[in-house]
Amino acid sequence: MTPDSMNAGQLAKHQDWVESLLEAGEEVRWFSQPLPSRFVRRGWLVVLSACFWLGSIGLGFWSRLKDLPYGIGDPEFPLIVGIFLPLMGLGAYLLTKPLRDVSRALRIFYLVTDDRALVLIAGKHPRSYSFFGEQLRGLVVKTESDGTGDILFRPAGHPAKVSRFLGVQEVLAVAELIRGVGKH
């Protein structure tokens, strides 16, 4: 299996970091990034809730403002703004969840070497998580109808959010490659 050529440029930006993680003689057999759409799936429910939230808060804000006898010069105006503005900010933050999820997905790399599987999270504070031998034997593979899917590792002392490869293209082939890790 060859590396995902679409992500080769992204991984090249982090080449020094990746090379520092590899042991002498360890070779990368496959790498890719998760499909961002897999991270966004649950985010749309949050967006719908945020739209409802912003609509309700906006309506409440407007109804309070229209009842002020002196407009923005009214003594209650700062209190009303102080209450409603943070609530609107929260709604705006929730509205951007899909964008934040895509940004997170673009910072994640999955690597399979001849000795282990790695999850790399690039960014301000880069992190890496390695999975060896027994942790790779009890894989759970969840496939979608389009051939993509998720690969879940056995609990390995890592946070559950990183003990998996999400949104992998050709998931069955990648799972077979992972099962063969360390058997050379």
Side-chain angles (χ1 to χ4, degrees):
M1 180 167 285
T2 59
D4 184 338
S5 60
M6 291 178 59
N7 298 318
Q10 277 290 88
L11 189 63
K13 294 178 188 175
H14 306 288
Q15 180 127 8
D16 292 339
W17 178 40
V18 171
E19 287 176 3
S20 73
L21 294 172
L22 298 177
E23 300 292 327
E26 190 174 16
E27 185 178 318
V28 175
R29 292 187 176 187
W30 175 85
F31 70 86
S32 187
Q33 286 184 278
L35 297 169
S37 62
R38 202 63 107 237
F39 282 70
V40 174
R41 282 185 178 177
R42 286 179 235 116
W44 292 111
L45 183 60
V46 173
V47 168
L48 289 174
S49 299
C51 289
F52 178 74
W53 174 268
L54 282 171
S56 300
I57 296 300
L59 186 62
F61 184 59
W62 174 253
S63 68
R64 292 290 298 182
L65 283 181
K66 72 178 180 71
D67 291 339
L68 291 178
Y70 302 110
I72 61 171
D74 196 282
E76 282 190 36
F77 181 77
L79 177 66
I80 293 170
V81 169
I83 290 172
F84 284 100
L85 203 55
L87 295 174
M88 286 181 179
L90 175 63
Y93 176 77
L94 293 173
L95 201 59
T96 63
K97 182 172 179 12
L99 296 175
R100 290 181 282 119
D101 288 344
V102 167
S103 172
R104 190 173 96 221
L106 293 175
R107 290 183 286 123
I108 296 174
F109 295 94
Y110 301 138
L111 278 84
V112 176
T113 70
D114 37 9
D115 292 327
R116 59 187 166 154
L118 292 102
V119 176
L120 307 176
I121 302 172
K124 193 180 224 182
H125 304 289
R127 299 175 308 277
S128 67
Y129 301 91
S130 295
F131 301 90
F132 296 92
E134 192 59 34
Q135 299 165 340
L136 301 175
R137 300 296 172 251
L139 297 180
V140 176
V141 180
K142 296 181 179 181
T143 59
E144 300 284 331
S145 60
D146 62 356
T148 65
D150 305 332
I151 301 172
L152 308 160
F153 304 120
R154 273 200 175 148
H158 298 303
K161 285 187 174 185
V162 296
S163 294
R164 57 193 178 186
F165 285 4
L166 290 180
V168 175
Q169 295 182 14
E170 300 177 26
V171 69
L172 295 175
V174 174
E176 263 323 293
L177 183 66
I178 292 172
R179 285 185 181 108
V181 164
K183 296 180 182 177
H184 45 234

